[in-house]
Amino acid sequence: MPMDVIVIGGGIVGLATSYRLLQRFPDTKLLLLEKEEQLAMHQTGHNSGVLHSGIYYKPGSLKAANCRVGKLAMEEFCQEHDIPFEICGKVIVALDERELLGIQKIYERGQANGVTCEIIGKERLREIEPHAAGIRAIHVPEAGIVDYRQVALKLGALITAAGGRILCGCEVTGISERSSETIVQTTGGAFPARLVVNCAGLHSDRVLRMTDLRPEAQIVPFRGEYYELRAEQHHLCRHLIYPVPDPSFPFLGVHFTRMIGGGVECGPNAVLAFAREGYTKSDVHLGDLLESLTYPGFVRMAFKHWRTGCGEMWRSFSKDAFVKALRRLMPEIRKEHLVAAPAGVRAQALTRSGALVDDFLIQEKGKVVHVGNAPSPAATASLNIGNVIVDKLEPMLRVVARAK
Ligand SMILES: Cc1cc2nc3c(=O)[nH]c(=O)nc-3n(C[C@H](O)[C@H](O)[C@H](O)COP(=O)(O)OP(=O)(O)OC[C@H]3O[C@@H](n4cnc5c(N)ncnc54)[C@H](O)[C@@H]3O)c2cc1C
């Protein structure tokens, strides 16, 4: 008997989708396939753990809509399942007069998206974050922190308890159509399914290419490198301190993030990773690297943004340069306050014309739904992204239920 639904990818998006599916259609025969031996080994287990408020995103975008509703759902989920989280608030600081317009624009987006936030002056900023630089800031009291790996593992346990099956160590290698079924080939054998959902993160474009769809964009892996404050310096950052981001990039710039498990993370930069899962400089996969370097979209982007790219790479090799970037936000920071911390790799979709895809991208064809771009704030938004995908599957799930 075929599975009703196969979900590919045991990161937070695949898990949240499976969880929502079983909540809304409890009789569904669901199988989740994950290539690693454990869940949440990639983006979900290597992120900053911020519950984003939704302040940055273009009103009407999928990011804006999903982040607002998803964040509330995530808080409720954590409360219900005793997962620690904290609504600690954050500040986005303007460092000089030139950044005031940027602050105003972000504030207006926040207002349009229904985010509780206010513009504050220097004195109030010093009360909230005594060690942050800045002449003006936006205070976002509703931003928070959580451990998304913990959320993902809880989702996994709930899926299994609801009758879903999770198979780790099982990599999807091919997808083919056979009359009413889709056959998902894996390293652990072939599984027939009526419907398939691709939530493969850093490999989502490759899984998409296994079907007869052509990806709208290719995933290019960008490594984000971090330092951590030494314990004696934790007091320098009370909550979350962010700069005004460069509007040409979907990255937020180096910032200070207090983590739910303790400690303060500083970073990240954004450099091309030489492997889809290249967490260190020495992780090189020749095929992955060539695929990025020969992709016309990457070449066009590199040509346009070479200056920024060089700056990011310089920060990757020079701790002094990284410290200099951090000192703009917090002048007291010195090199000896920082120790290297684990990096994360972002799955960033890039179009052939060289544009970084900013919004979430969900494509569907026939019986397969693909999540083609789920960058930050997709962890915050995951429980709502799951609902959006189940909405797409709903008509087909009703047909499946009738055929049983
Ligand atoms: C450095 C960094 C910081 C971030 N900070 C934040 C933050 O503070 N807040 C926030 O909301 N978001 C943040 N994000 C974004 C967030 O982590 C991601 O948007 C989210 O984790 C994406 O989840 P996912 O399930 O799509 O991908 P992933 O977590 O990468 O999961 C995809 C899974 O698919 C599996 N897979 C791939 N190919 C196959 C295959 N062929 N067969 C079987 N399995 C396969 C992989 O092994 C992986 O487990 C950050 C991301 C990074 C990298």
Side-chain angles (χ1 to χ4, degrees), residues 9 11-13 34-35 42-44 47-48 50 172 200 226 374 378 380:
I12 203 161
V13 175
E34 166 54 51
K35 71 180 169 67
H42 293 296
Q43 296 176 93
T44 301
N47 60 47
S48 305
V50 175
V172 173
Y226 291 93
T380 307

Side-chain angles (χ1 to χ4, degrees), residues 103-131:
I103 282 282
Q104 184 60 30
K105 282 188 175 161
I106 297 171
Y107 175 73
E108 282 164 16
R109 278 203 169 173
Q111 295 289 298
N113 289 337
V115 177
T116 307
C117 55
E118 62 168 337
I119 293 191
I120 56 172
K122 223 173 173 172
E123 293 70 32
R124 178 78 183 114
L125 172 61
R126 299 289 172 275
E127 280 169 27
I128 298 170
E129 289 291 354
H131 304 276

Side-chain angles (χ1 to χ4, degrees), residues 133-191:
I135 58 168
R136 201 174 291 173
I138 307 175
H139 182 218
V140 193
E142 60 171 276
I145 49 177
V146 69
D147 178 350
Y148 287 113
R149 191 196 291 266
Q150 214 177 329
V151 172
L153 297 184
K154 181 46 121 185
L155 285 167
L158 293 170
I159 291 163
T160 312
R165 188 171 164 216
I166 296 181
L167 213 52
C168 286
C170 190
E171 180 171 352
V172 173
T173 52
I175 298 174
S176 52
E177 293 280 337
R178 197 206 292 156
S179 60
S180 62
E181 290 171 6
T182 301
I183 311 294
V184 179
Q185 280 110 23
T186 76
T187 47
F191 298 93

